[in-house]
Amino acid sequence: MTTVARTRDELRRARQALTGSTALVPTMGALHNGHRELIRRAKNLADHVVVSIFVNPLQFGPNEDLARYPRDFDADLRMCEAEGVALVFAPSEKTMYEREPAIRVCAGPIGERLEGASRPGHFDGVLTVVAKLFNLTRPDVAVFGQKDSQQLALVKHMARDLDLGVRIEKAPIVRDDDGLALSSRNKYLSADERQAALALPAALEAAAEVADNGGAPAEVVAAAFGILDSADGVETDYVALVDPDTFEDPSGGEALLAVAARVGNTRLIDNVVVNIQKG
C-alpha cells in the first residue's frame, strides 16, 4: 500500500515510519514508462522508494506551459502502487512555497547554456525545488533521467558542491517503439506532429554513426543539424556537442550531443552520448 502525503506534517510522519535506506524519484507527474524505469532503478538502490509529484512553478517561464502541463494524479498513483512505491509526496504549491522564496539556488554558468539560454531562470527553479525536496524527504539516493541531461549534471554539481549528502544516480533514456524519447509533453503532439518529431532520434542516430566512424566534432554536429533543419514541421533550437559534466566544448573522448526543437507548439529535447577523437 502506497502512503500519500500532501502536507509537511503528513510527510514527516510517513518518512519517520520508513526504516532503512530510501531513494527519491522527483517528478512533475503525468507519469509514463520512463518514470516507471526511474522507479525500478530506485528500487534496486534502496529499501524504500519515495516519489514526489509536484508541478514546480519556479521552473516555468512566463510564456511556457505551466497551466496546461498534463496532470493525472489518479493514474500516477496507480503506477506508483503497481511499482511498490512506499510513499508519494504530492504537495500543493502553498505547501512547497509558503511564501515567495527570497532565496533561490543559482545554477551558475552551466545553467546559462543550452536549455538555460533558451529558458532563462529555468534551472534556478529546478535546483531550488530539488534542494527543498531533498531537505523534506531526506533520501539517501535520488534518481534522475538521462533525457534531462543538463538537469542531471546540475543536480550532481549541487549535491556535491553544497554537501547535501544525497547520491545522484542516472537512469537511461527510455524510448517508444518508434524511437521517440518518452516525455510527458509528448501528449501535446498530434499524429502528424509525432511523425515530425521522429526527426530528433533520427538526427541523433545519424550523428552517432558519424562519431563511430571517427568524424570530427563539427561533422557530428552537422549530421544532426542537417536532418533537423530539413525536417518539415520542426524548428531547431540548438544542436550542441558538449562535455557531459561541464557542458563546455568537449576535449575528446566521451561527449554529449544534445538537441532541442519545437514541433508545433511542443518543445522537445533529446541527447545521445558519443565518443569523439581527441584533438
Side-chain angles (χ1 to χ4, degrees):
M1 181 70 177
T2 300
T3 299
V4 177
R6 293 190 177 274
T7 68
R8 290 168 182 249
D9 285 342
E10 290 174 351
L11 174 63
R12 183 167 54 252
R13 290 194 296 269
R15 182 64 184 83
Q16 287 173 345
L18 299 180
T19 58
S21 59
T22 60
L24 173 67
V25 179
T27 82
M28 292 205 301
L31 303 185
H32 49 66
N33 283 336
H35 295 106
R36 193 186 300 274
E37 290 303 315
L38 296 180
I39 293 169
R40 291 177 178 177
R41 171 76 172 134
K43 286 175 68 177
N44 289 329
L45 298 169
D47 298 318
H48 306 287
V49 176
V50 178
V51 171
S52 64
I53 298 175
F54 178 64
V55 181
N56 175 38
L58 293 192
Q59 67 193 68
F60 287 79
N63 298 315
E64 293 186 338
D65 58 343
L66 173 61
R68 72 186 187 105
Y69 192 85
R71 294 164 170 86
D72 190 345
F73 181 76
D74 289 342
D76 294 344
L77 184 58
R78 286 194 297 272
M79 178 183 291
C80 289
E81 289 177 333
E83 293 300 325
V85 171
L87 172 60
V88 169
F89 180 43
S92 66
E93 184 176 338
K94 183 67 174 177
T95 295
M96 281 301 292
Y97 302 111
E98 297 174 300
R99 57 185 177 274
E100 180 70 20
I103 304 296
R104 304 190 187 197
V105 178
C106 175
I110 297 175
E112 296 172 356
R113 301 176 184 128
L114 301 187
E115 285 298 288
S118 297
R119 306 176 66 187
H122 168 69
F123 287 120
D124 292 355
V126 169
L127 295 185
T128 298
V129 78
V130 169
K132 288 172 69 70
L133 288 169
F134 285 175
N135 288 329
L136 288 166
T137 62
R138 296 177 289 110
D140 299 285
V141 58
V143 182
F144 291 82
Q146 171 65 28
K147 186 177 76 70
D148 295 292
S149 55
Q150 195 170 2
Q151 170 182 278
L152 172 66
L154 283 163
V155 170
K156 284 183 176 180
H157 280 282
M158 178 179 71
R160 181 177 64 240
D161 294 349
L162 300 184
D163 297 313
L164 296 183
V166 181
R167 188 171 87 252
I168 308 303
E169 291 285 342
K170 173 179 70 176
I173 296 173
V174 179
R175 300 185 180 277
D176 247 327
D177 292 340
D178 59 8
L180 190 65
L182 295 186
S183 169
S184 298
R185 289 186 168 95
N186 289 354
K187 294 181 179 180
Y188 298 155
L189 298 170
S190 68
D192 288 343
E193 288 169 346
R194 170 136 191 149
Q195 190 63 34
L198 297 182
L200 275 76
L204 295 176
E205 183 177 355
E209 184 175 353
V210 171
D212 288 343
N213 289 327
E219 294 172 319
V220 174
V221 171
F225 183 81
I227 290 178
L228 289 177
D229 193 50
S230 62
D232 291 337
V234 177
E235 181 183 347
T236 305
D237 184 351
Y238 61 75
V239 177
L241 191 65
V242 297
D243 181 284
D245 181 57
T246 66
F247 276 71
E248 296 178 345
D249 291 340
S251 57
E254 188 174 275
L256 182 81
L257 182 67
V259 300
R262 187 170 294 278
V263 180
N265 293 320
T266 305
R267 191 170 182 279
L268 301 173
I269 61 173
D270 204 346
N271 64 82
V272 67
V273 175
V274 299
N275 282 287
I276 60 172
Q277 300 296 318
K278 294 186 178 182

